[in-house]
Structure formats: structure tokens, C-alpha cells
Amino acid sequence: EAMQWTKSGGEMPVATGAPGMSDEDKAALRKQMEEEIRAQLEANASAMADMQMSDVDRTALAQQQFNEDQLKLLEKEKEKESSPHITNLNEDEALSGVIHHLIKEGES
């Protein structure tokens, strides 16, 4: 019902609230409820779009994100090779070389 009212642009019926509520309080409650319902509708629309995305589209999107991440890593590696840098050492080989700090001119 709430979706029909918001889609048609009409006002949603809201409970009258507690006895003694002022018109301003009722209007604020109505506005808050409408905002919450609109936010939920937007979240549902986004979820529906994700569900309707085909496996091919998901794979293409994941591949694109992977490629972008690989390019960023490659750029960092190139910068590390051409710039002075500090790398951590550790007794455990798995932890050695994990932290890299590039030393840039004019910065400390």
C-alpha cells in the first residue's frame, strides 16, 4: 500500500499518533515515515537491479574492477622501483616486505 501511495505521489495515511499530539508533531511523524519508506523503496529498487544483472554482466564488472586494481598495483610497483623507499624486514618471510613507504622530495 505504501508503495502505491508514494508512486502515485499521494500522501500516505499515517496513524494519528498519541492523543494530545500537536499538528506539528503529526506532520513531523508523517514526514519521517514517508522518508523512511522512500529510502526503503530506493534500497529495494537497487537490490532488484542487482538481482536482474546477468552472470555475464557480473563477471564483466568483476573483471573490470580486477583490472583497475592490477593497474593501481603496477603503478605503485613502478613508482617504488624508480623512487627511494623504505621496506620493512621481519624474521617471518610472510611479514617481510609488507610495508613500503616512498620517500618523496620535500616531504619527510
Side-chain angles (χ1 to χ4, degrees):
E1 289 180 34
M3 284 195 292
Q4 291 174 347
W5 282 305
T6 53
K7 282 186 179 180
S8 66
E11 285 194 21
M12 252 183 42
V14 177
T16 57
M21 280 183 75
S22 69
D23 289 339
E24 292 172 354
D25 292 339
K26 289 178 186 179
L29 179 62
R30 178 185 307 266
K31 183 178 180 181
Q32 179 186 3
M33 290 177 68
E34 287 177 354
E35 288 173 358
E36 289 173 359
I37 289 173
R38 282 196 177 90
Q40 184 62 46
L41 287 172
E42 290 174 11
N44 290 347
S46 176
M48 285 294 293
D50 288 344
M51 284 188 260
Q52 292 173 349
M53 186 182 264
S54 70
D55 289 339
V56 174
D57 292 339
R58 281 192 187 106
T59 303
L61 182 62
Q63 184 66 42
Q64 179 184 1
Q65 290 173 345
F66 176 78
N67 290 341
E68 289 172 2
D69 290 344
Q70 290 300 314
L71 282 174
K72 287 178 185 176
L73 286 173
L74 185 60
E75 288 173 5
K76 283 185 178 182
E77 286 296 318
K78 284 183 179 180
E79 187 177 9
K80 187 173 71 173
E81 288 176 6
S82 64
S83 301
H85 61 279
I86 300 171
T87 303
N88 75 308
L89 296 175
N90 195 307
E91 291 176 357
D92 185 353
E93 290 184 25
L95 298 175
S96 193
V98 175
I99 300 172
H100 304 282
H101 180 73
L102 294 174
I103 301 172
K104 296 182 180 178
E105 189 173 328
E107 294 183 13
S108 59

